[in-house]
């Protein structure tokens, strides 16, 4: 009786002190879930061979980017019980790029894929013993675009402007800062529920090229919020 009481007491002390729960140096927290990229884009006017549509045609214009959700993966390695380094990765995001031209309207201009790996230094705000682990991070985002495909709709518009043939598209890679807020909720010793949001500085120049040498360009700040909800495991 005394022995079992002591066992219960010891167990209680262990749970209360939470030593089994604590995030600690060397922990690896792996999370998988849905990640959504929600662009907050800010575009220059479209330029044809360096002259804006305003200058050439008297028409305002811009480029737009829609949002997309993919499988997101994030992994944190704890450098101490308060500080971690994190890599965010995902399956390739796919976006529709639109050209918005005054009096023409919104034209689906292209489809493009991108990968935005983001490397962050994270600070966990509460005591390492807490089951609720909110954190803030600062990091670097690298975004690379690929599989750019110009739509037939845009080709019809450019052909009506006297630019022959079909366009091809290239988007410059982007390096920029990223900021992050998130939280882990520990369920038991190893299961983790997670929600996180990043704001990433992603800027690119979109260049549409045509057989006759014409180039249509737009500078686009994509600057998205990236939202993720995930389940994870702490190793
Ligand atoms: Ni930006």
């Amino acid at each position: 009786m005394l022995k079992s009481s002591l066992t219960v007491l010891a167990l209680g002390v262990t749970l209360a002190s939470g030593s089994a729960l604590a995030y600690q140096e060397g922990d690896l927290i792996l999370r998988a879930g849905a990640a959504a990229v929600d662009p907050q884009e800010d575009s220059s006017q479209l330029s044809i061979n360096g002259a804006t549509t305003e200058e050439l045609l008297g028409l305002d214009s811009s480029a737009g980017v829609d949002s997309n959700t993919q499988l997101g993966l994030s992994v944190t390695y704890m450098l101490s019980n308060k500080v971690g380094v994190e890599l965010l990765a995902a399956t390739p995001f796919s976006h529709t790029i639109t050209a918005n031209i005054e009096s023409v309207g919104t034209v689906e201009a292209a489809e493009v894929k991108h990968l935005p790996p983001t490397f962050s230094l994270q600070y966990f705000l509460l005591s390492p013993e807490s089951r609720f682990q909110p954190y803030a991070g600062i990091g670097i985002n690298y975004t690379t675009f690929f599989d750019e495909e110009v739509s037939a709709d845009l080709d019809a518009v450019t052909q009506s402007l006297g630019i022959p043939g079909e366009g091809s598209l290239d988007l410059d890679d982007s390096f920029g800062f990223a900021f992050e807020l998130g939280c882990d909720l520990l369920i038991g010793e190893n299961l983790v529920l997670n929600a996180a949001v990043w704001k990433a500085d992603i800027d690119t120049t979109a260049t549409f090229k045509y057989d006759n040498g014409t180039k249509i360009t737009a500078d686009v700040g994509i600057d998205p919020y990236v939202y993720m909800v995930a389940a994870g495991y702490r190793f």
Side-chain angles (χ1 to χ4, degrees):
M1 185 64 192
L2 180 61
K3 194 182 172 194
S4 66
S5 294
L6 282 176
T7 305
V8 169
L9 186 65
L11 189 65
V13 168
T14 305
L15 285 176
S17 72
S19 57
L21 284 177
Y23 272 10
Q24 55 203 2
E25 182 183 337
D27 279 1
L28 203 60
I29 303 138
L30 191 63
R31 313 174 191 89
V37 170
D38 183 18
Q40 309 289 308
E41 73 271 27
D42 179 21
S43 163
S44 72
Q45 280 203 7
L46 304 175
S47 291
I48 303 175
N49 293 329
T52 65
T53 55
E54 185 85 59
E55 292 163 346
L56 287 172
L57 308 167
L59 301 175
D60 193 13
S61 64
S62 65
V65 188
D66 71 350
S67 51
N68 187 241
T69 301
Q70 292 291 333
L71 170 67
L73 298 169
S74 74
V75 57
T76 294
Y77 179 76
M78 297 302 290
L79 299 174
S80 75
N81 60 12
K82 299 284 275 182
V83 175
V85 287
E86 180 201 55
L87 180 66
L88 169 67
T91 52
F93 291 94
S94 175
H95 296 273
T96 299
I97 296 181
T98 53
N100 315 303
I101 305 167
E102 187 185 350
S103 85
V104 173
T106 296
V107 179
E108 283 195 14
E111 294 285 332
V112 61
K113 292 197 170 102
H114 75 90
L115 282 171
T118 304
F119 186 74
S120 299
L121 188 65
Q122 300 175 311
Y123 183 75
F124 288 76
L125 302 166
L126 297 183
S127 140
E129 280 74 35
S130 174
R131 284 184 176 276
F132 182 64
Q133 288 288 345
Y135 53 84
I138 181 169
I140 297 284
N141 167 273
Y142 171 70
T143 296
T144 183
F145 299 90
F146 56 96
D147 277 2
E148 296 101 327
E149 282 180 24
V150 177
S151 76
D153 289 359
L154 185 69
D155 285 335
V157 171
T158 50
Q159 284 161 17
S160 76
L161 292 170
I163 302 167
E166 295 174 359
S168 64
L169 170 64
D170 186 58
L171 290 126
D172 293 346
D173 292 354
S174 168
F175 257 114
F177 281 109
F179 301 93
E180 176 190 22
L181 290 173
C183 64
D184 286 332
L185 177 63
L186 269 163
I187 311 285
E189 279 192 35
N190 300 105
L191 287 180
V192 172
L193 296 181
N194 172 265
V197 56
W198 292 255
K199 174 73 170 163
D201 186 17
I202 302 176
D203 301 300
T204 188
T205 298
T207 305
F208 296 85
K209 289 182 190 160
Y210 296 85
D211 292 342
N212 69 352
T214 300
K215 284 184 186 174
I216 301 178
T217 57
D219 295 322
V220 187
I222 300 174
D223 301 338
Y225 287 105
V226 180
Y227 305 100
M228 183 163 155
V229 286
Y233 198 84
R234 183 266 296 266
F235 293 91

